[in-house]
Amino acid sequence: MKALVAAAAALALLAAAHPARAGSSTIVSPAIYGGPEADLALCAVRNAGKKPAQVELRIFDEPGTALNLVDATCNGTIQGEATCLVEPGKMFTTRSFVAVGTAYACSATGKVKQLRGAFYMGCCQVGAPSQSYRSTTLR
Amino acid sequence: MELRLSAAIAALAASLAGPAHAGSISSAPVVNFYFGAGTQDACYVRNVGKRPVEVNVVITDAEGLAHTSSTDTCNGAPLAPDAACVVILEHPGGFMACTATTPGSAKSLRGTLETRLNLNIVSAQDLR
């Protein structure tokens, strides 16, 4: 009985420490190369469900290192954090600058059943935006 | 025993006769950072089933706000088997998504959302 209580307490602590991961799982993209001008990576999810969903977005380089964010937009509000409580029907999007000539990937951790996610590579950090984006789906 | 059986049959009948849940398919966000003339979003929905279905198709922005379409062949009339319809709106820029909802199951619906610049595809995502 004591062991059960201790295990339950440990689980509760873990859940509190990682709110985005409590009862959640992850959808991921493949690694994509955006072409010789792609210097910008965009990861976006939409909450297609009826309840708010806590989501963490991360963009990875080829060795698997998570990149720093340029910015993130949570329910339409710009912020600097990689997590967002996404309201039903709204989006959470992140941007990172990337090196030209290498591939990147994105992951979303949360209640993924109600999430629809996509990852884009394009240009430009400076200048006119891409006229087409290399894209893939998170699943 | 008979009473229990009757109650079970009544419960089953009630569950079968109850209102059907609306089904929906949704896209991931598409992106287009051009703002202004020549940019638009087009959401196509196709009925791959054997019966006509009513569909409600809406394109929304990052804040979940629906935008007024310039073309709409989806809403207001049933979609015939094998037929496709489209909702087009002039693109306000940024991330957009499309959702198709039907009164019954959405199993027979397939959809895709495209964002365009001067009719060239900038990005696209399927609804699922």
PDB file of all heavy atoms in Angstrom, chain A residues 42 44 46 48 75-76 89-91 93 116-118 120 129-133 136-138, chain B residues 26-31 33-34 60-64 95-97 99 122-123 125 128:
ATOM      1  N   LEU A  42       9.591  26.758 -39.857  1.00  0.00           N
ATOM      2  CA  LEU A  42       8.334  27.131 -39.212  1.00  0.00           C
ATOM      3  C   LEU A  42       7.609  25.865 -38.785  1.00  0.00           C
ATOM      4  O   LEU A  42       7.392  24.969 -39.609  1.00  0.00           O
ATOM      5  CB  LEU A  42       7.432  27.902 -40.184  1.00  0.00           C
ATOM      6  CG  LEU A  42       8.061  29.092 -40.909  1.00  0.00           C
ATOM      7  CD1 LEU A  42       7.273  29.406 -42.171  1.00  0.00           C
ATOM      8  CD2 LEU A  42       8.072  30.295 -40.001  1.00  0.00           C
ATOM      9  N   ALA A  44       4.054  24.486 -36.885  1.00  0.00           N
ATOM     10  CA  ALA A  44       2.724  25.000 -36.537  1.00  0.00           C
ATOM     11  C   ALA A  44       1.778  23.860 -36.209  1.00  0.00           C
ATOM     12  O   ALA A  44       1.777  22.829 -36.881  1.00  0.00           O
ATOM     13  CB  ALA A  44       2.160  25.815 -37.710  1.00  0.00           C
ATOM     14  N   ARG A  46      -2.467  23.167 -34.937  1.00  0.00           N
ATOM     15  CA  ARG A  46      -3.808  23.713 -34.686  1.00  0.00           C
ATOM     16  C   ARG A  46      -4.549  22.736 -33.783  1.00  0.00           C
ATOM     17  O   ARG A  46      -4.464  21.523 -33.981  1.00  0.00           O
ATOM     18  CB  ARG A  46      -4.571  23.894 -35.990  1.00  0.00           C
ATOM     19  CG  ARG A  46      -5.982  24.428 -35.787  1.00  0.00           C
ATOM     20  CD  ARG A  46      -6.647  24.740 -37.127  1.00  0.00           C
ATOM     21  NE  ARG A  46      -7.986  25.265 -36.910  1.00  0.00           N
ATOM     22  CZ  ARG A  46      -9.075  24.519 -36.865  1.00  0.00           C
ATOM     23  NH1 ARG A  46      -8.992  23.212 -37.032  1.00  0.00           N
ATOM     24  NH2 ARG A  46     -10.265  25.052 -36.658  1.00  0.00           N
ATOM     25  N   ALA A  48      -7.606  21.001 -33.143  1.00  0.00           N
ATOM     26  CA  ALA A  48      -8.863  20.670 -33.824  1.00  0.00           C
ATOM     27  C   ALA A  48      -9.887  20.085 -32.855  1.00  0.00           C
ATOM     28  O   ALA A  48     -10.969  19.689 -33.279  1.00  0.00           O
ATOM     29  CB  ALA A  48      -8.593  19.694 -34.965  1.00  0.00           C
ATOM     30  N   ASN A  75      -1.972  31.210 -29.706  1.00  0.00           N
ATOM     31  CA  ASN A  75      -3.357  31.719 -29.813  1.00  0.00           C
ATOM     32  C   ASN A  75      -3.391  33.137 -30.379  1.00  0.00           C
ATOM     33  O   ASN A  75      -4.237  33.947 -30.000  1.00  0.00           O
ATOM     34  CB  ASN A  75      -4.051  31.694 -28.448  1.00  0.00           C
ATOM     35  CG  ASN A  75      -4.131  30.310 -27.855  1.00  0.00           C
ATOM     36  OD1 ASN A  75      -4.507  29.356 -28.548  1.00  0.00           O
ATOM     37  ND2 ASN A  75      -3.774  30.166 -26.590  1.00  0.00           N
ATOM     38  N   GLY A  76      -2.433  33.459 -31.269  1.00  0.00           N
ATOM     39  CA  GLY A  76      -2.402  34.784 -31.889  1.00  0.00           C
ATOM     40  C   GLY A  76      -1.539  35.793 -31.175  1.00  0.00           C
ATOM     41  O   GLY A  76      -1.363  36.910 -31.660  1.00  0.00           O
ATOM     42  N   GLY A  89      -9.570  25.385 -31.835  1.00  0.00           N
ATOM     43  CA  GLY A  89      -9.682  26.150 -33.073  1.00  0.00           C
ATOM     44  C   GLY A  89      -8.543  27.121 -33.305  1.00  0.00           C
ATOM     45  O   GLY A  89      -8.484  27.762 -34.356  1.00  0.00           O
ATOM     46  N   LYS A  90      -7.638  27.265 -32.337  1.00  0.00           N
ATOM     47  CA  LYS A  90      -6.536  28.217 -32.488  1.00  0.00           C
ATOM     48  C   LYS A  90      -5.217  27.493 -32.751  1.00  0.00           C
ATOM     49  O   LYS A  90      -5.169  26.273 -32.762  1.00  0.00           O
ATOM     50  CB  LYS A  90      -6.449  29.103 -31.249  1.00  0.00           C
ATOM     51  CG  LYS A  90      -7.709  29.937 -31.046  1.00  0.00           C
ATOM     52  CD  LYS A  90      -7.546  30.967 -29.956  1.00  0.00           C
ATOM     53  CE  LYS A  90      -8.831  31.792 -29.841  1.00  0.00           C
ATOM     54  NZ  LYS A  90      -8.688  32.869 -28.841  1.00  0.00           N
ATOM     55  N   MET A  91      -4.156  28.273 -32.962  1.00  0.00           N
ATOM     56  CA  MET A  91      -2.864  27.706 -33.392  1.00  0.00           C
ATOM     57  C   MET A  91      -1.733  28.096 -32.457  1.00  0.00           C
ATOM     58  O   MET A  91      -1.811  29.094 -31.744  1.00  0.00           O
ATOM     59  CB  MET A  91      -2.511  28.194 -34.793  1.00  0.00           C
ATOM     60  CG  MET A  91      -3.475  27.797 -35.880  1.00  0.00           C
ATOM     61  SD  MET A  91      -2.904  28.456 -37.466  1.00  0.00           S
ATOM     62  CE  MET A  91      -4.370  28.231 -38.457  1.00  0.00           C
ATOM     63  N   THR A  93       2.430  28.489 -33.208  1.00  0.00           N
ATOM     64  CA  THR A  93       3.432  28.432 -34.261  1.00  0.00           C
ATOM     65  C   THR A  93       4.775  28.913 -33.729  1.00  0.00           C
ATOM     66  O   THR A  93       4.823  29.787 -32.856  1.00  0.00           O
ATOM     67  CB  THR A  93       3.030  29.307 -35.473  1.00  0.00           C
ATOM     68  OG1 THR A  93       2.994  30.676 -35.070  1.00  0.00           O
ATOM     69  CG2 THR A  93       1.662  28.911 -36.003  1.00  0.00           C
ATOM     70  N   ARG A 116      -3.388  19.057 -35.244  1.00  0.00           N
ATOM     71  CA  ARG A 116      -2.984  18.918 -36.636  1.00  0.00           C
ATOM     72  C   ARG A 116      -1.733  19.763 -36.805  1.00  0.00           C
ATOM     73  O   ARG A 116      -1.764  20.968 -36.545  1.00  0.00           O
ATOM     74  CB  ARG A 116      -4.078  19.416 -37.585  1.00  0.00           C
ATOM     75  CG  ARG A 116      -5.407  18.672 -37.451  1.00  0.00           C
ATOM     76  CD  ARG A 116      -5.320  17.238 -37.950  1.00  0.00           C
ATOM     77  NE  ARG A 116      -6.597  16.550 -37.840  1.00  0.00           N
ATOM     78  CZ  ARG A 116      -7.016  15.888 -36.768  1.00  0.00           C
ATOM     79  NH1 ARG A 116      -6.248  15.824 -35.698  1.00  0.00           N
ATOM     80  NH2 ARG A 116      -8.173  15.282 -36.751  1.00  0.00           N
ATOM     81  N   GLY A 117      -0.634  19.129 -37.233  1.00  0.00           N
ATOM     82  CA  GLY A 117       0.626  19.849 -37.263  1.00  0.00           C
ATOM     83  C   GLY A 117       1.325  19.791 -38.606  1.00  0.00           C
ATOM     84  O   GLY A 117       1.172  18.821 -39.356  1.00  0.00           O
ATOM     85  N   ALA A 118       2.085  20.843 -38.902  1.00  0.00           N
ATOM     86  CA  ALA A 118       2.859  20.892 -40.143  1.00  0.00           C
ATOM     87  C   ALA A 118       4.190  21.587 -39.873  1.00  0.00           C
ATOM     88  O   ALA A 118       4.309  22.397 -38.946  1.00  0.00           O
ATOM     89  CB  ALA A 118       2.091  21.642 -41.229  1.00  0.00           C
ATOM     90  N   TYR A 120       7.449  23.592 -41.972  1.00  0.00           N
ATOM     91  CA  TYR A 120       7.795  24.253 -43.238  1.00  0.00           C
ATOM     92  C   TYR A 120       9.239  24.730 -43.214  1.00  0.00           C
ATOM     93  O   TYR A 120       9.737  25.176 -42.189  1.00  0.00           O
ATOM     94  CB  TYR A 120       6.889  25.470 -43.472  1.00  0.00           C
ATOM     95  CG  TYR A 120       5.431  25.121 -43.630  1.00  0.00           C
ATOM     96  CD1 TYR A 120       4.576  25.149 -42.536  1.00  0.00           C
ATOM     97  CD2 TYR A 120       4.904  24.765 -44.857  1.00  0.00           C
ATOM     98  CE1 TYR A 120       3.232  24.822 -42.670  1.00  0.00           C
ATOM     99  CE2 TYR A 120       3.568  24.440 -45.004  1.00  0.00           C
ATOM    100  CZ  TYR A 120       2.742  24.472 -43.906  1.00  0.00           C
ATOM    101  OH  TYR A 120       1.415  24.142 -44.040  1.00  0.00           O
ATOM    102  N   PRO A 129       9.420  37.038 -48.602  1.00  0.00           N
ATOM    103  CA  PRO A 129       9.173  35.663 -48.166  1.00  0.00           C
ATOM    104  C   PRO A 129       9.125  34.681 -49.335  1.00  0.00           C
ATOM    105  O   PRO A 129       9.017  35.076 -50.490  1.00  0.00           O
ATOM    106  CB  PRO A 129       7.808  35.757 -47.484  1.00  0.00           C
ATOM    107  CG  PRO A 129       7.167  36.964 -48.069  1.00  0.00           C
ATOM    108  CD  PRO A 129       8.266  37.909 -48.412  1.00  0.00           C
ATOM    109  N   SER A 130       9.215  33.401 -48.996  1.00  0.00           N
ATOM    110  CA  SER A 130       9.210  32.344 -50.012  1.00  0.00           C
ATOM    111  C   SER A 130       7.960  32.400 -50.872  1.00  0.00           C
ATOM    112  O   SER A 130       6.875  32.725 -50.405  1.00  0.00           O
ATOM    113  CB  SER A 130       9.257  30.975 -49.343  1.00  0.00           C
ATOM    114  OG  SER A 130      10.525  30.688 -48.846  1.00  0.00           O
ATOM    115  N   GLN A 131       8.133  32.050 -52.155  1.00  0.00           N
ATOM    116  CA  GLN A 131       6.966  31.897 -53.022  1.00  0.00           C
ATOM    117  C   GLN A 131       6.452  30.474 -52.970  1.00  0.00           C
ATOM    118  O   GLN A 131       5.401  30.164 -53.528  1.00  0.00           O
ATOM    119  CB  GLN A 131       7.303  32.315 -54.450  1.00  0.00           C
ATOM    120  CG  GLN A 131       7.600  33.798 -54.532  1.00  0.00           C
ATOM    121  CD  GLN A 131       7.504  34.337 -55.935  1.00  0.00           C
ATOM    122  OE1 GLN A 131       7.072  33.665 -56.849  1.00  0.00           O
ATOM    123  NE2 GLN A 131       7.912  35.577 -56.100  1.00  0.00           N
ATOM    124  N   SER A 132       7.202  29.582 -52.335  1.00  0.00           N
ATOM    125  CA  SER A 132       6.690  28.245 -52.026  1.00  0.00           C
ATOM    126  C   SER A 132       7.502  27.701 -50.859  1.00  0.00           C
ATOM    127  O   SER A 132       8.668  28.065 -50.682  1.00  0.00           O
ATOM    128  CB  SER A 132       6.791  27.316 -53.230  1.00  0.00           C
ATOM    129  OG  SER A 132       8.129  27.043 -53.513  1.00  0.00           O
ATOM    130  N   TYR A 133       6.853  26.872 -50.064  1.00  0.00           N
ATOM    131  CA  TYR A 133       7.501  26.301 -48.892  1.00  0.00           C
ATOM    132  C   TYR A 133       7.588  24.791 -49.035  1.00  0.00           C
ATOM    133  O   TYR A 133       6.620  24.146 -49.439  1.00  0.00           O
ATOM    134  CB  TYR A 133       6.708  26.628 -47.615  1.00  0.00           C
ATOM    135  CG  TYR A 133       6.784  28.079 -47.204  1.00  0.00           C
ATOM    136  CD1 TYR A 133       5.919  29.016 -47.752  1.00  0.00           C
ATOM    137  CD2 TYR A 133       7.722  28.508 -46.286  1.00  0.00           C
ATOM    138  CE1 TYR A 133       5.980  30.348 -47.379  1.00  0.00           C
ATOM    139  CE2 TYR A 133       7.798  29.842 -45.910  1.00  0.00           C
ATOM    140  CZ  TYR A 133       6.926  30.748 -46.463  1.00  0.00           C
ATOM    141  OH  TYR A 133       6.993  32.066 -46.102  1.00  0.00           O
ATOM    142  N   THR A 136       5.906  19.403 -44.683  1.00  0.00           N
ATOM    143  CA  THR A 136       5.624  18.031 -44.307  1.00  0.00           C
ATOM    144  C   THR A 136       4.648  18.057 -43.135  1.00  0.00           C
ATOM    145  O   THR A 136       4.433  19.106 -42.520  1.00  0.00           O
ATOM    146  CB  THR A 136       6.924  17.278 -43.958  1.00  0.00           C
ATOM    147  OG1 THR A 136       6.614  15.908 -43.730  1.00  0.00           O
ATOM    148  CG2 THR A 136       7.568  17.842 -42.706  1.00  0.00           C
ATOM    149  N   THR A 137       4.064  16.892 -42.869  1.00  0.00           N
ATOM    150  CA  THR A 137       3.041  16.798 -41.825  1.00  0.00           C
ATOM    151  C   THR A 137       3.612  16.123 -40.590  1.00  0.00           C
ATOM    152  O   THR A 137       4.416  15.202 -40.694  1.00  0.00           O
ATOM    153  CB  THR A 137       1.839  15.991 -42.368  1.00  0.00           C
ATOM    154  OG1 THR A 137       1.369  16.642 -43.548  1.00  0.00           O
ATOM    155  CG2 THR A 137       0.715  15.937 -41.352  1.00  0.00           C
ATOM    156  N   LEU A 138       3.185  16.570 -39.421  1.00  0.00           N
ATOM    157  CA  LEU A 138       3.552  15.894 -38.166  1.00  0.00           C
ATOM    158  C   LEU A 138       2.563  14.755 -37.929  1.00  0.00           C
ATOM    159  O   LEU A 138       1.356  14.945 -38.023  1.00  0.00           O
ATOM    160  CB  LEU A 138       3.486  16.871 -36.982  1.00  0.00           C
ATOM    161  CG  LEU A 138       4.697  17.757 -36.723  1.00  0.00           C
ATOM    162  CD1 LEU A 138       4.981  18.684 -37.885  1.00  0.00           C
ATOM    163  CD2 LEU A 138       4.501  18.560 -35.458  1.00  0.00           C
TER     164      LEU A 138
ATOM    165  N   SER B  26     -10.002  18.159 -40.337  1.00  0.00           N
ATOM    166  CA  SER B  26      -9.327  19.461 -40.226  1.00  0.00           C
ATOM    167  C   SER B  26      -7.933  19.384 -40.825  1.00  0.00           C
ATOM    168  O   SER B  26      -7.296  18.334 -40.788  1.00  0.00           O
ATOM    169  CB  SER B  26      -9.187  19.865 -38.757  1.00  0.00           C
ATOM    170  OG  SER B  26     -10.437  19.998 -38.154  1.00  0.00           O
ATOM    171  N   SER B  27      -7.461  20.512 -41.311  1.00  0.00           N
ATOM    172  CA  SER B  27      -6.094  20.571 -41.842  1.00  0.00           C
ATOM    173  C   SER B  27      -5.141  21.064 -40.760  1.00  0.00           C
ATOM    174  O   SER B  27      -5.559  21.713 -39.800  1.00  0.00           O
ATOM    175  CB  SER B  27      -6.023  21.531 -43.029  1.00  0.00           C
ATOM    176  OG  SER B  27      -6.028  22.879 -42.577  1.00  0.00           O
ATOM    177  N   ALA B  28      -3.876  20.763 -40.946  1.00  0.00           N
ATOM    178  CA  ALA B  28      -2.824  21.468 -40.209  1.00  0.00           C
ATOM    179  C   ALA B  28      -2.730  22.881 -40.792  1.00  0.00           C
ATOM    180  O   ALA B  28      -3.258  23.144 -41.872  1.00  0.00           O
ATOM    181  CB  ALA B  28      -1.499  20.732 -40.362  1.00  0.00           C
ATOM    182  N   PRO B  29      -2.061  23.782 -40.101  1.00  0.00           N
ATOM    183  CA  PRO B  29      -1.926  25.140 -40.650  1.00  0.00           C
ATOM    184  C   PRO B  29      -1.124  25.157 -41.962  1.00  0.00           C
ATOM    185  O   PRO B  29      -0.138  24.443 -42.101  1.00  0.00           O
ATOM    186  CB  PRO B  29      -1.154  25.887 -39.550  1.00  0.00           C
ATOM    187  CG  PRO B  29      -1.444  25.132 -38.298  1.00  0.00           C
ATOM    188  CD  PRO B  29      -1.525  23.693 -38.722  1.00  0.00           C
ATOM    189  N   VAL B  30      -1.582  25.968 -42.914  1.00  0.00           N
ATOM    190  CA  VAL B  30      -0.780  26.272 -44.103  1.00  0.00           C
ATOM    191  C   VAL B  30      -0.199  27.673 -43.905  1.00  0.00           C
ATOM    192  O   VAL B  30      -0.695  28.442 -43.084  1.00  0.00           O
ATOM    193  CB  VAL B  30      -1.605  26.236 -45.410  1.00  0.00           C
ATOM    194  CG1 VAL B  30      -2.077  24.837 -45.719  1.00  0.00           C
ATOM    195  CG2 VAL B  30      -2.771  27.205 -45.351  1.00  0.00           C
ATOM    196  N   VAL B  31       0.846  27.974 -44.662  1.00  0.00           N
ATOM    197  CA  VAL B  31       1.520  29.248 -44.432  1.00  0.00           C
ATOM    198  C   VAL B  31       1.698  30.020 -45.728  1.00  0.00           C
ATOM    199  O   VAL B  31       1.942  29.444 -46.784  1.00  0.00           O
ATOM    200  CB  VAL B  31       2.893  29.024 -43.737  1.00  0.00           C
ATOM    201  CG1 VAL B  31       3.844  28.244 -44.627  1.00  0.00           C
ATOM    202  CG2 VAL B  31       3.510  30.337 -43.299  1.00  0.00           C
ATOM    203  N   PHE B  33       3.360  34.080 -46.219  1.00  0.00           N
ATOM    204  CA  PHE B  33       3.676  35.351 -45.576  1.00  0.00           C
ATOM    205  C   PHE B  33       3.600  36.535 -46.532  1.00  0.00           C
ATOM    206  O   PHE B  33       4.006  37.633 -46.176  1.00  0.00           O
ATOM    207  CB  PHE B  33       5.037  35.278 -44.882  1.00  0.00           C
ATOM    208  CG  PHE B  33       4.951  34.549 -43.573  1.00  0.00           C
ATOM    209  CD1 PHE B  33       5.648  33.384 -43.365  1.00  0.00           C
ATOM    210  CD2 PHE B  33       4.129  35.021 -42.562  1.00  0.00           C
ATOM    211  CE1 PHE B  33       5.551  32.698 -42.159  1.00  0.00           C
ATOM    212  CE2 PHE B  33       4.016  34.344 -41.356  1.00  0.00           C
ATOM    213  CZ  PHE B  33       4.728  33.187 -41.151  1.00  0.00           C
ATOM    214  N   TYR B  34       3.093  36.284 -47.749  1.00  0.00           N
ATOM    215  CA  TYR B  34       2.780  37.423 -48.604  1.00  0.00           C
ATOM    216  C   TYR B  34       1.469  38.029 -48.133  1.00  0.00           C
ATOM    217  O   TYR B  34       0.543  37.310 -47.752  1.00  0.00           O
ATOM    218  CB  TYR B  34       2.644  36.987 -50.059  1.00  0.00           C
ATOM    219  CG  TYR B  34       3.969  36.907 -50.767  1.00  0.00           C
ATOM    220  CD1 TYR B  34       4.656  35.712 -50.833  1.00  0.00           C
ATOM    221  CD2 TYR B  34       4.522  38.033 -51.357  1.00  0.00           C
ATOM    222  CE1 TYR B  34       5.885  35.628 -51.470  1.00  0.00           C
ATOM    223  CE2 TYR B  34       5.746  37.964 -52.000  1.00  0.00           C
ATOM    224  CZ  TYR B  34       6.417  36.753 -52.049  1.00  0.00           C
ATOM    225  OH  TYR B  34       7.622  36.687 -52.667  1.00  0.00           O
ATOM    226  N   THR B  60     -10.090  29.255 -41.184  1.00  0.00           N
ATOM    227  CA  THR B  60      -9.865  30.084 -40.002  1.00  0.00           C
ATOM    228  C   THR B  60      -8.392  30.479 -39.890  1.00  0.00           C
ATOM    229  O   THR B  60      -7.512  29.809 -40.427  1.00  0.00           O
ATOM    230  CB  THR B  60     -10.283  29.338 -38.716  1.00  0.00           C
ATOM    231  OG1 THR B  60      -9.610  28.079 -38.679  1.00  0.00           O
ATOM    232  CG2 THR B  60     -11.781  29.101 -38.676  1.00  0.00           C
ATOM    233  N   ASP B  61      -8.150  31.561 -39.141  1.00  0.00           N
ATOM    234  CA  ASP B  61      -6.774  32.034 -38.952  1.00  0.00           C
ATOM    235  C   ASP B  61      -6.197  31.490 -37.638  1.00  0.00           C
ATOM    236  O   ASP B  61      -6.820  30.650 -36.976  1.00  0.00           O
ATOM    237  CB  ASP B  61      -6.710  33.562 -39.026  1.00  0.00           C
ATOM    238  CG  ASP B  61      -7.529  34.231 -37.926  1.00  0.00           C
ATOM    239  OD1 ASP B  61      -7.841  33.574 -36.905  1.00  0.00           O
ATOM    240  OD2 ASP B  61      -7.867  35.427 -38.079  1.00  0.00           O
ATOM    241  N   ALA B  62      -5.022  31.994 -37.256  1.00  0.00           N
ATOM    242  CA  ALA B  62      -4.325  31.471 -36.072  1.00  0.00           C
ATOM    243  C   ALA B  62      -5.096  31.703 -34.784  1.00  0.00           C
ATOM    244  O   ALA B  62      -4.870  31.032 -33.784  1.00  0.00           O
ATOM    245  CB  ALA B  62      -2.940  32.104 -35.976  1.00  0.00           C
ATOM    246  N   GLU B  63      -6.002  32.670 -34.807  1.00  0.00           N
ATOM    247  CA  GLU B  63      -6.811  32.946 -33.618  1.00  0.00           C
ATOM    248  C   GLU B  63      -8.170  32.261 -33.682  1.00  0.00           C
ATOM    249  O   GLU B  63      -9.040  32.530 -32.848  1.00  0.00           O
ATOM    250  CB  GLU B  63      -6.982  34.452 -33.454  1.00  0.00           C
ATOM    251  CG  GLU B  63      -5.671  35.168 -33.192  1.00  0.00           C
ATOM    252  CD  GLU B  63      -5.843  36.663 -33.042  1.00  0.00           C
ATOM    253  OE1 GLU B  63      -6.483  37.098 -32.090  1.00  0.00           O
ATOM    254  OE2 GLU B  63      -5.341  37.389 -33.919  1.00  0.00           O
ATOM    255  N   GLY B  64      -8.361  31.406 -34.696  1.00  0.00           N
ATOM    256  CA  GLY B  64      -9.613  30.670 -34.812  1.00  0.00           C
ATOM    257  C   GLY B  64     -10.745  31.462 -35.443  1.00  0.00           C
ATOM    258  O   GLY B  64     -11.891  31.010 -35.451  1.00  0.00           O
ATOM    259  N   PHE B  95      -0.700  32.183 -41.032  1.00  0.00           N
ATOM    260  CA  PHE B  95      -1.121  30.783 -40.979  1.00  0.00           C
ATOM    261  C   PHE B  95      -2.650  30.689 -41.042  1.00  0.00           C
ATOM    262  O   PHE B  95      -3.355  31.454 -40.387  1.00  0.00           O
ATOM    263  CB  PHE B  95      -0.653  30.133 -39.679  1.00  0.00           C
ATOM    264  CG  PHE B  95       0.824  29.868 -39.625  1.00  0.00           C
ATOM    265  CD1 PHE B  95       1.692  30.759 -39.018  1.00  0.00           C
ATOM    266  CD2 PHE B  95       1.350  28.712 -40.194  1.00  0.00           C
ATOM    267  CE1 PHE B  95       3.053  30.511 -38.967  1.00  0.00           C
ATOM    268  CE2 PHE B  95       2.716  28.462 -40.142  1.00  0.00           C
ATOM    269  CZ  PHE B  95       3.568  29.358 -39.531  1.00  0.00           C
ATOM    270  N   MET B  96      -3.157  29.716 -41.834  1.00  0.00           N
ATOM    271  CA  MET B  96      -4.586  29.480 -41.951  1.00  0.00           C
ATOM    272  C   MET B  96      -4.849  27.977 -41.906  1.00  0.00           C
ATOM    273  O   MET B  96      -3.957  27.166 -42.164  1.00  0.00           O
ATOM    274  CB  MET B  96      -5.122  30.045 -43.274  1.00  0.00           C
ATOM    275  CG  MET B  96      -4.842  31.525 -43.496  1.00  0.00           C
ATOM    276  SD  MET B  96      -5.685  32.629 -42.351  1.00  0.00           S
ATOM    277  CE  MET B  96      -7.310  32.675 -43.081  1.00  0.00           C
ATOM    278  N   ALA B  97      -6.092  27.593 -41.587  1.00  0.00           N
ATOM    279  CA  ALA B  97      -6.468  26.171 -41.553  1.00  0.00           C
ATOM    280  C   ALA B  97      -7.903  26.024 -42.044  1.00  0.00           C
ATOM    281  O   ALA B  97      -8.660  27.004 -42.072  1.00  0.00           O
ATOM    282  CB  ALA B  97      -6.330  25.615 -40.140  1.00  0.00           C
ATOM    283  N   THR B  99     -11.524  23.495 -41.898  1.00  0.00           N
ATOM    284  CA  THR B  99     -12.279  22.421 -41.250  1.00  0.00           C
ATOM    285  C   THR B  99     -13.565  22.173 -42.016  1.00  0.00           C
ATOM    286  O   THR B  99     -14.258  23.118 -42.391  1.00  0.00           O
ATOM    287  CB  THR B  99     -12.631  22.795 -39.786  1.00  0.00           C
ATOM    288  OG1 THR B  99     -11.417  23.029 -39.068  1.00  0.00           O
ATOM    289  CG2 THR B  99     -13.405  21.677 -39.100  1.00  0.00           C
ATOM    290  N   VAL B 122       1.700  27.920 -52.767  1.00  0.00           N
ATOM    291  CA  VAL B 122       2.765  28.269 -51.807  1.00  0.00           C
ATOM    292  C   VAL B 122       2.937  27.150 -50.797  1.00  0.00           C
ATOM    293  O   VAL B 122       4.051  26.740 -50.491  1.00  0.00           O
ATOM    294  CB  VAL B 122       2.425  29.600 -51.088  1.00  0.00           C
ATOM    295  CG1 VAL B 122       3.471  29.925 -50.029  1.00  0.00           C
ATOM    296  CG2 VAL B 122       2.324  30.737 -52.102  1.00  0.00           C
ATOM    297  N   SER B 123       1.822  26.644 -50.258  1.00  0.00           N
ATOM    298  CA  SER B 123       1.865  25.500 -49.347  1.00  0.00           C
ATOM    299  C   SER B 123       0.496  24.834 -49.340  1.00  0.00           C
ATOM    300  O   SER B 123      -0.498  25.438 -49.751  1.00  0.00           O
ATOM    301  CB  SER B 123       2.253  25.925 -47.926  1.00  0.00           C
ATOM    302  OG  SER B 123       1.278  26.773 -47.364  1.00  0.00           O
ATOM    303  N   GLN B 125      -1.977  21.495 -47.242  1.00  0.00           N
ATOM    304  CA  GLN B 125      -2.120  20.446 -46.236  1.00  0.00           C
ATOM    305  C   GLN B 125      -3.460  19.745 -46.444  1.00  0.00           C
ATOM    306  O   GLN B 125      -4.475  20.406 -46.697  1.00  0.00           O
ATOM    307  CB  GLN B 125      -2.075  21.028 -44.823  1.00  0.00           C
ATOM    308  CG  GLN B 125      -0.709  21.534 -44.392  1.00  0.00           C
ATOM    309  CD  GLN B 125       0.303  20.433 -44.160  1.00  0.00           C
ATOM    310  OE1 GLN B 125      -0.054  19.333 -43.730  1.00  0.00           O
ATOM    311  NE2 GLN B 125       1.561  20.718 -44.438  1.00  0.00           N
ATOM    312  N   ARG B 128      -7.791  15.842 -42.293  1.00  0.00           N
ATOM    313  CA  ARG B 128      -7.933  14.459 -41.815  1.00  0.00           C
ATOM    314  C   ARG B 128      -8.590  14.457 -40.438  1.00  0.00           C
ATOM    315  O   ARG B 128      -8.654  15.470 -39.792  1.00  0.00           O
ATOM    316  CB  ARG B 128      -6.575  13.743 -41.775  1.00  0.00           C
ATOM    317  CG  ARG B 128      -5.574  14.385 -40.863  1.00  0.00           C
ATOM    318  CD  ARG B 128      -4.232  13.693 -40.926  1.00  0.00           C
ATOM    319  NE  ARG B 128      -3.278  14.383 -40.092  1.00  0.00           N
ATOM    320  CZ  ARG B 128      -3.170  14.209 -38.776  1.00  0.00           C
ATOM    321  NH1 ARG B 128      -3.935  13.330 -38.149  1.00  0.00           N
ATOM    322  NH2 ARG B 128      -2.291  14.881 -38.067  1.00  0.00           N
TER     323      ARG B 128
END
